[in-house]
Amino acid sequence: VQLQACGGGLVQAGASLRLSCAASGRTFSSYAMGWFRRAPGKEREFVAAISWGAGTTYYSTYYADSVKGRFTISRDNAKNTVYLQMNSLKPEDTAVYYCAAGPSYSWTIYQRPSDYKYWGQGTQVTVSS
């Protein structure tokens, strides 16, 4: 699976951005997907994750406390794409954001980077105060 993230940019605090991550391959729908971020001088951290849907439109999702209520992860299996809608952005959200594909056919929510096998190249999000 190859992942291509895009949608980052420079915005002011309080603004919104939507990140997209397009995946290659016919098995995208089977993968658990996640978003991570790495701020300058910090470790990569979990942002949000979404399970596979077993052919339904029902998915499990989970968010880091720091983004809960502001960010929404979603997926469109017909487009092989996972999204991260980011609202009410704060300067502390500034980071490179990465999408990742994890285990297949699992309802488990994965938060550790080591759980994910495939990674996108990252997209920069900068939030000015």
Side-chain angles (χ1 to χ4, degrees):
V1 176
Q2 291 185 322
L3 304 174
Q4 181 76 28
C6 63
L10 171 63
V11 297
Q12 291 188 329
S16 298
L17 280 174
R18 187 175 81 157
L19 305 184
S20 299
C21 175
S24 64
R26 294 178 294 177
T27 59
F28 169 79
S29 62
S30 69
Y31 288 101
M33 299 296 297
W35 285 95
F36 291 78
R37 66 186 182 187
R38 176 175 282 164
K42 294 187 177 181
E43 297 290 321
R44 182 170 44 184
E45 66 172 355
F46 170 78
V47 175
I50 188 167
S51 68
W52 84 305
T56 72
T57 56
Y58 173 77
Y59 308 102
S60 296
T61 58
Y62 192 76
Y63 300 91
D65 287 343
S66 59
V67 306
K68 200 172 295 182
R70 300 187 297 121
F71 290 11
T72 303
I73 187 171
S74 62
R75 66 190 301 163
D76 185 338
N77 291 333
K79 296 182 179 180
N80 277 15
T81 302
V82 63
Y83 303 97
L84 185 68
Q85 177 67 43
M86 306 186 295
N87 298 330
S88 302
L89 282 162
K90 303 176 180 180
E92 50 263 44
D93 294 319
T94 295
V96 178
Y97 284 71
Y98 300 89
C99 60
S104 300
Y105 307 110
S106 174
W107 290 101
T108 300
I109 293 295
Y110 299 94
Q111 299 181 53
R112 301 177 304 178
S114 59
D115 291 326
Y116 291 79
K117 185 175 181 180
Y118 304 102
W119 290 83
Q121 84 291 357
T123 184
Q124 176 71 46
V125 172
T126 303
V127 185
S128 63
S129 58

